[in-house]
């Protein structure tokens, strides 16, 4: 389907096929890059299956076609798509054509990579340009003289368990 503003083709492939349409087809498991937490698998129940017709192959062109992970594909990559065009019966002998995605290959990802590098450089320069203003620094640990002063002050402290002294101290604080 052509979109007027985006000018793109719509291609899809369903993850699952109804079991009664799959008949004797061999079942496959979804890859961990598609369903890492088995959420889709748990949601299918017994009435849906993942068969060969539902599988999309992913490749990258690096002097030759090599398998690629789905996560490698980014908006802006130049890709080649292999599709099948199928006709779906509608009412009164009419058919609807649909493109089913079979494989996707990254032909050129340099635009995406360059954009990501530029974005990273902009973020680094923005962080470098942020003025932190004056900062307060305090030393960690104890210098010998600080320890001596603190020890001297604590040595003059006295703890009285006499109730009159406690009441007297509380009155002074109020």
């Amino acid at each position: 389907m052509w979109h007027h503003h985006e000018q793109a083709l719509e291609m899809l492939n369903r993850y699952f096929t109804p079991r009664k349409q799959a008949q004797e087809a061999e079942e496959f498991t979804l890859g961990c890059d598609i369903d890492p937490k088995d959420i889709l698998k748990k949601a299918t129940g017994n009435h849906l299956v993942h068969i060969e017709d539902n599988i999309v192959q992913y490749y990258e062109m690096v002097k030759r076609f090599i398998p690629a992970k789905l996560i490698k594909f980014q908006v802006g990559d130049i890709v080649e798509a292999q599709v099948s065009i199928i006709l779906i019966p509608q009412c009164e002998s009419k058919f609807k054509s649909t493109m089913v995605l079979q494989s996707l290959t990254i032909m050129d990802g340099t635009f995406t990579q360059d954009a990501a590098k530029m974005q990273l450089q902009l973020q680094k320069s923005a962080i470098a340009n942020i003025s932190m203003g004056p900062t307060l620094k305090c030393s960690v640990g104890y210098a010998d003289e600080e320890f001596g002063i603190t020890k001297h002050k604590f040595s003059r402290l006295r703890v009285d368990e006499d109730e009159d002294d406690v009441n007297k101290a509380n009155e002074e604080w109020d």
Side-chain angles (χ1 to χ4, degrees):
M1 163 189 283
W2 283 100
H3 297 279
H4 298 288
H5 301 290
E6 294 139 6
Q7 293 189 3
L9 288 173
E10 184 176 288
M11 295 163 262
L12 57 97
N13 196 340
R14 296 183 177 160
Y15 289 128
F16 301 102
T17 299
R19 185 175 294 280
K20 58 184 166 186
Q21 289 178 6
Q23 297 170 2
E24 299 295 319
E26 181 183 355
E27 288 186 46
F28 292 88
T29 57
L30 281 172
C32 63
D33 52 334
I34 294 173
D35 192 19
K37 297 182 181 179
D38 287 337
I39 294 170
L40 294 173
K41 181 181 176 183
K42 292 173 187 172
T44 61
N46 288 332
H47 65 283
L48 296 174
V49 292
H50 185 69
I51 61 175
E52 188 174 8
D53 288 346
N54 303 117
I55 296 174
V56 176
Q57 302 292 327
Y58 300 98
Y59 299 98
E60 181 177 12
M61 179 62 169
V62 184
K63 296 186 182 179
R64 62 182 182 86
F65 294 98
I66 59 170
K69 297 278 186 191
L70 177 60
I71 196 165
K72 189 153 178 103
F73 289 79
Q74 301 293 319
V75 173
D77 288 343
I78 297 178
V79 298
E80 175 182 281
Q82 290 183 357
V83 298
S84 296
I85 298 174
I86 62 169
L87 298 174
I88 301 171
Q90 302 291 306
C91 60
E92 298 180 21
S93 69
K94 292 185 180 181
F95 293 88
K96 174 185 173 186
S97 65
T98 302
M99 286 193 282
V100 178
L101 185 61
Q102 301 295 321
S103 74
L104 201 58
T105 303
I106 298 174
M107 300 303 286
D108 187 355
T110 56
F111 297 112
T112 307
Q113 292 168 0
D114 292 347
K117 287 177 188 174
M118 287 176 53
Q119 183 69 26
L120 185 60
Q121 288 173 347
L122 287 171
Q123 289 173 351
K124 284 182 179 179
S125 66
I127 290 170
N129 291 333
I130 294 174
S131 173
M132 297 301 285
T135 59
L136 299 175
K137 291 187 176 187
C138 64
S139 59
V140 177
Y142 300 97
D144 287 339
E145 62 189 49
E146 291 173 344
F147 182 72
I149 293 169
T150 305
K151 186 176 179 182
H152 175 70
K153 288 180 179 178
F154 274 112
S155 68
R156 295 186 300 168
L157 287 177
R158 191 179 90 209
V159 177
D160 292 327
E161 293 184 14
D162 188 358
E163 218 174 284
D164 292 334
D165 289 337
V166 172
N167 290 335
K168 191 184 225 181
N170 284 337
E171 288 173 7
E172 289 177 10
W173 283 98
D174 290 337

